[in-house]
């Protein structure tokens, strides 16, 4: 088994409009690797949701995408406030996003549920006041 | 598709290898080699951005010379509606159409007239249940190629009908044969007056794998000057125009959409904006829309590289021209022939994949990452590639010489120089 390829992205927390740059770039990379378009789409959507979450709640963070021969792993880390109630956060429609965020069309409470539904596995590691790390896996085979 | 014939030509003696076009190319199709620009045929989508960007006028759009029309016994001029927006004080389209007859054409057939049929069909098509929305317009060939190349997953969203100029050509040919039954197919020359090179290569390359119906593509700016000489407004023109404001509206971004009588549409123009919109659609991040109209040129076809007038001024002129037109001129007797519909466009193939073998692709990718991490990341273009990443890809995939990076080369030489100095002090 050959080693994984890592793509590292820094998500800028200041700017909503820049959220999604990493998920755009990863699409190109995965296409170059010859990954199935349907899988690329799932990875990219899940990652986009994660990026937006980091901008809304945590003033940005980092995304590491590791491509293995049989799976794609996305690790999204931030040093934000942490998620108080993970179970609640996973509920479709539940959102703690402030009003101004909602007025921009974000914060519909679909981020985490979407991330889970588009991936084959998702783990949330969060600590209040320390930050959140979300690891998502999409299988290639 | 390697045997694709493009409609951008380069005058090598004028090209200084300055990197202006390199930076503007939306598909990274250009490299500077041996002091001048070289276009990668597989990646070029004929958008004409490089022609716009060239400060030395070394790049030109390739169209047929006007004299080419003389190869045909019966010449039909097919003006894109954009043509009407090029003239000052034009208050009646018939002056323009009469002008086309006066410069040597036997008949005229408006593309805008055919466009109204496509609008009518699209309105019906959007009501279908089993279609993948949003439907993306198939009118701009550059956009269709861009989608095939960079967004293959959106190919199914493309409106499955030929662009207006093709439909107009079918109609024009039918009309000519009806009027003059003695004419053979090869006697009829359907001559499209084009605002852009994108439509020109569409015709040359038989892009849908069907016989194209346009015979000659003429540059709008060439025809414009010929028309100016004859359009004096001295005589009353024949009543030739048959299109309404919906058809004429196609010349400007948003025009095609507004002919759908639906508010669930989006119209974007200019390649940079279009790419952003395609990314959003690809990510499923669009609000519920029925139709997406995308034009490669700013403001739509009026912004084409072969036009004469500034696109915004042309747009304003079209507005006043449309004022006194009927909504639609489409005649119920004409019907869209079956050949106008297609299953899918597959002339361009996505070519970004490194290799058919994923393991090999991963090996190449990590090699590219290693090469790239040693590059300065300033995307200066001096190596001949548009970005440091593109250069790293060229080094690994196409055997480009790593020493072409002049920034690294400079550091290397300075270091050598220092070493030499030290050596001379030592001795």
């Amino acid at each position: 088994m050959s080693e994984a390829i890592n793509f590292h992205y820094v998500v800028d927390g200041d700017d909503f409009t820049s959220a999604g740059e990493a998920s755009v770039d990863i699409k190109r990379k995965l296409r170059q690797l010859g990954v199935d378009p349907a899988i690329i789409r799932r990875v990219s959507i899940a990652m986009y949701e994660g990026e937006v979450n980091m901008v809304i709640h945590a003033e940005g963070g980092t995304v590491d995408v590791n491509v293995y021969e049989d799976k794609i792993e996305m690790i999204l880390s931030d040093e934000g406030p942490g998620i108080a109630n993970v179970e609640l956060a996973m509920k479709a429609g539940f959102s703690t996003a402030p009003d101004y965020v909602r007025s921009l069309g974000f914060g519909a409470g679909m981020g985490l549920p979407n991330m889970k539904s588009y991936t084959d596995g998702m783990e949330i590691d969060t600590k209040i006041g320390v930050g959140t790390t979300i690891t998502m896996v999409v299988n290639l085979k | 598709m390697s045997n694709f014939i493009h409609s951008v030509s380069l005058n090598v003696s004028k090209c200084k290898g300055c990197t202006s076009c390199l930076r503007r190319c939306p598909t990274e199709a250009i490299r500077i080699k041996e002091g001048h620009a070289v276009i990668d045929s597989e990646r070029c989508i004929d958008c004409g951005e490089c022609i716009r960007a060239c400060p030395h006028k070394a790049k030109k759009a390739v169209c047929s010379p006007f004299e080419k029309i003389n190869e045909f016994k019966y010449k039909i001029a097919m003006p894109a509606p954009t043509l009407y927006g090029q003239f000052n004080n034009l208050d009646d389209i018939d002056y323009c159409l009469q002008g086309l007859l006066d410069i040597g054409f036997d008949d005229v057939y408006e593309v805008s007239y055919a466009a109204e049929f496509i609008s009518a069909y699209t309105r019906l098509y959007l009501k279908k249940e089993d279609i993948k929305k949003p439907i993306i317009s198939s009118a701009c060939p550059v956009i269709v190629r861009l989608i095939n190349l960079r967004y293959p997953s959106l190919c199914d969203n493309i409106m499955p009908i030929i662009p207006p100029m093709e439909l107009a050509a079918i109609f024009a040919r039918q009309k000519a044969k009806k009027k003059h039954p003695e004419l053979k197919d090869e006697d009829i020359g359907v001559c499209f007056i084009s605002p852009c090179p994108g439509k020109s290569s569409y015709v040359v390359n038989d892009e849908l794998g069907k016989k194209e119906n346009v015979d000659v593509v003429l540059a709008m700016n060439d025809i414009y000057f010929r028309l100016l000489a004859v359009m004096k407004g001295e005589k009353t023109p024949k009543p030739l125009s048959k299109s309404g404001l919906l058809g004429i509206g196609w010349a400007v971004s948003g025009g095609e959409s507004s002919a759908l009588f639906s508010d669930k549409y989006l119209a974007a123009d200019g390649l940079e904006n279009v790419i952003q919109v395609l990314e959003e659609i690809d990510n499923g991040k669009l609000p519920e829309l029925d139709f997406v109209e995308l034009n490669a040129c700013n403001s739509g076809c009026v912004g084409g590289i072969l036009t004469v007038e500034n696109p915004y001024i042309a747009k304003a002129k079209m507005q006043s021209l449309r004022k006194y037109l009927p909504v639609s001129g489409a005649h119920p007797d004409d019907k869209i022939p079956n050949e106008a519909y297609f299953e899918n466009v597959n002339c361009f193939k996505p070519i970004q994949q490194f290799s058919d073998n994923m393991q090999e692709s991963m090996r190449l990718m990590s090699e590219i990452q290693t090469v790239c991490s040693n590059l300065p990341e300033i995307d200066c273009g001096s190596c001949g590639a548009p970005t440091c990443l593109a250069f790293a890809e060229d080094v690994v995939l196409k055997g480009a010489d790593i020493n072409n990076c002049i920034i690294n080369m400079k550091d290397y030489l300075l270091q050598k120089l220092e070493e030499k100095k030290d050596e001379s002090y030592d001795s």
Side-chain angles (χ1 to χ4, degrees):
Chain A
M1 176 112 180
S2 58
E3 266 174 65
I5 299 185
N6 170 267
F7 302 101
H8 180 75
Y9 301 97
V10 175
V11 178
D12 190 4
D14 298 338
D15 187 4
F16 263 108
T17 50
S18 76
E21 277 172 9
S23 48
V24 166
D25 189 74
I26 199 69
K27 271 199 278 189
R28 181 191 148 111
K29 302 286 191 216
L30 296 179
R31 272 201 295 264
Q32 287 176 324
L33 289 174
V35 174
D36 180 72
I39 290 182
I40 296 179
R41 212 180 131 82
R42 287 168 55 201
V43 169
S44 148
I45 293 177
M47 214 165 118
Y48 177 83
E49 295 286 7
E51 271 185 79
V52 170
N53 276 351
M54 288 199 289
V55 177
I56 295 178
H57 300 287
E59 292 173 12
T62 61
V63 181
D64 280 281
V65 180
N66 298 315
V67 181
Y68 299 87
E69 254 182 84
D70 58 344
K71 66 177 181 188
I72 297 168
E73 181 185 56
M74 292 164 268
I75 305 168
L76 293 87
S77 297
D78 66 58
E79 294 172 4
I83 304 169
N85 185 336
V86 174
E87 204 182 320
L88 202 55
M90 287 301 298
K91 270 209 180 122
F94 177 82
S95 175
T96 57
D99 283 345
Y100 83 94
V101 168
R102 288 166 189 256
S103 71
L104 292 167
F106 296 97
M110 288 312 292
L112 284 173
N114 261 351
M115 286 157 72
K116 191 173 171 69
S117 68
Y118 280 105
T119 53
D120 294 312
M122 180 165 101
E123 271 173 37
I124 302 175
D125 182 14
T126 183
K127 238 190 202 127
I128 297 294
V130 179
T132 301
T133 296
I134 296 182
T135 307
M136 294 182 280
V137 173
V138 173
N139 292 330
L140 286 174
K141 280 167 188 165
Chain B
M1 184 157 157
S2 55
N3 49 358
F4 194 93
I5 305 159
H6 292 284
S7 44
V8 177
S9 80
L10 176 80
N11 182 335
V12 175
S13 63
K14 281 187 174 177
C15 176
K16 306 227 186 302
C18 71
T19 76
S20 296
C21 59
L22 187 72
R23 294 154 185 280
R24 287 280 292 276
C25 177
T27 58
E28 297 189 342
I30 302 176
R31 296 292 182 274
I32 311 291
K33 283 179 186 159
E34 291 164 12
H36 60 81
V38 180
I39 300 175
D40 179 348
S41 177
E42 289 199 344
R43 289 191 186 194
C44 174
I45 54 172
D46 281 296
C47 64
E49 284 298 312
C50 55
I51 303 177
R52 255 186 261 270
C54 181
H56 306 291
K57 308 269 174 258
K59 292 206 167 183
K60 272 211 164 73
V62 187
C63 284
S64 296
F66 184 66
E67 292 66 35
K68 174 113 174 140
I69 71 165
N70 295 321
E71 290 174 15
F72 300 90
K73 217 192 244 173
Y74 191 78
K75 316 159 190 58
I76 308 167
M78 251 181 26
T82 304
L83 180 67
Y84 314 143
Q86 307 299 306
F87 302 93
N88 287 325
N89 311 316
L90 180 72
D91 54 4
D92 187 345
I93 292 167
D94 285 337
Y95 281 104
C96 187
L97 302 180
Q98 176 70 48
L100 289 167
L101 296 180
D102 292 344
I103 61 170
F105 290 98
D106 299 299
D107 197 7
V108 289
Y109 204 96
E110 294 169 279
V111 173
S112 48
Y113 176 75
E116 292 179 355
F117 281 80
I118 296 193
S119 293
Y121 177 69
T122 310
R123 289 195 291 265
L124 288 177
Y125 187 81
L126 288 175
K127 293 203 175 103
K128 284 186 160 193
E129 296 279 317
D130 55 342
I131 51 170
K132 195 171 158 195
K133 286 188 182 173
I135 293 297
I136 302 173
S137 162
S138 58
C140 176
V142 172
I143 300 299
V144 174
R145 288 179 210 129
L146 179 71
I147 291 174
N148 273 273
L149 200 66
R150 277 183 60 175
Y151 306 94
S153 59
L154 297 181
C155 280
D156 298 339
N157 296 62
I158 297 173
M159 179 71 197
I161 193 164
I162 55 175
M165 65 150 177
E166 280 292 311
L167 184 61
I170 296 175
F171 284 162
R173 204 172 276 276
Q174 283 172 352
K175 182 185 165 199
K177 282 187 185 164
K178 216 172 178 181
K179 215 165 146 189
H180 303 278
E182 74 282 5
L183 287 174
K184 289 193 215 96
D185 248 332
E186 61 268 28
D187 293 337
I188 304 169
V190 178
C191 311
F192 176 57
I193 300 165
S194 179
C196 67
K199 294 191 174 75
S200 171
S201 54
Y202 179 91
V203 169
V204 177
N205 288 291
D206 192 20
E207 237 165 87
L208 297 171
K210 300 180 175 186
K211 192 196 157 290
E212 303 295 335
N213 300 287
V214 178
D215 299 294
V216 182
V217 179
L218 300 165
M220 190 167 285
N221 50 14
D222 177 16
I223 300 299
Y224 170 79
F225 289 106
R226 288 169 201 272
L227 282 175
L228 271 194
V230 298
M231 283 170 61
K232 307 259 192 250
E234 286 158 357
K235 54 178 181 182
T236 314
K238 284 190 212 159
L240 293 160
S241 179
K242 293 200 288 177
S243 36
L245 57 88
L246 290 186
I248 308 280
W250 278 60
V252 176
S253 174
E256 183 187 356
S257 304
S258 64
L260 299 176
F261 311 137
S262 156
D263 49 6
K264 286 176 168 176
Y265 75 85
L266 173 161
D269 50 278
L271 266 177
E272 265 177 51
N273 305 324
V274 163
I275 287 172
Q276 283 177 13
V277 170
L278 286 171
E279 289 292 347
E280 298 274 307
I281 302 176
D282 204 19
N283 277 345
K285 277 288 144 197
L286 271 194
E288 217 175 276
L289 289 178
D290 283 342
F291 191 76
V292 173
E293 173 187 344
L294 302 173
N295 284 289
C297 297
N298 283 331
S299 294
C301 296
V302 287
I305 196 101
L306 295 173
T307 60
V308 181
E309 187 57 276
N310 167 292
Y312 299 95
I313 298 174
K315 198 168 152 182
K317 288 180 181 174
M318 305 277 302
Q319 278 159 18
S320 54
L321 198 54
R322 286 172 52 172
K323 212 158 100 187
Y324 299 111
L325 289 177
V327 173
S328 170
H331 198 273
D333 286 350
D334 286 311
K335 262 183 82 181
I336 302 179
N338 279 336
E339 60 194 288
Y341 309 111
F342 57 82
E343 289 287 306
N344 46 26
V345 207
N346 51 5
C347 157
F348 263 77
K349 290 266 172 287
I351 45 118
Q352 293 169 329
Q353 202 171 328
F354 291 160
S355 140
D356 289 337
N357 178 323
M358 172 122 177
Q359 223 172 342
E360 173 66 4
S361 296
M362 285 177 66
R363 190 188 65 76
L364 292 167
M365 179 71 85
S366 77
E367 214 175 303
I368 289 166
Q369 283 188 325
T370 313
V371 173
C372 199
S373 64
N374 292 317
L375 293 174
E377 281 191 81
I378 55 169
D379 299 343
C380 69
S382 304
C383 61
T387 61
C388 289
L389 177 60
F391 178 56
E393 288 174 4
D394 285 357
V395 169
V396 174
L397 303 171
K398 294 182 180 161
D401 186 354
I402 186 82
N403 291 327
N404 282 342
C405 175
I406 61 166
I407 306 295
N408 280 4
M409 202 43 159
K410 186 193 79 189
D411 292 345
Y412 174 76
L413 290 175
L414 284 177
Q415 188 194 335
K416 280 282 166 211
L417 211 60
E418 285 299 318
E419 283 171 23
K420 274 271 184 291
K421 263 191 209 157
D422 294 344
E423 272 171 39
S424 48
Y425 285 137
D426 290 345
S427 58

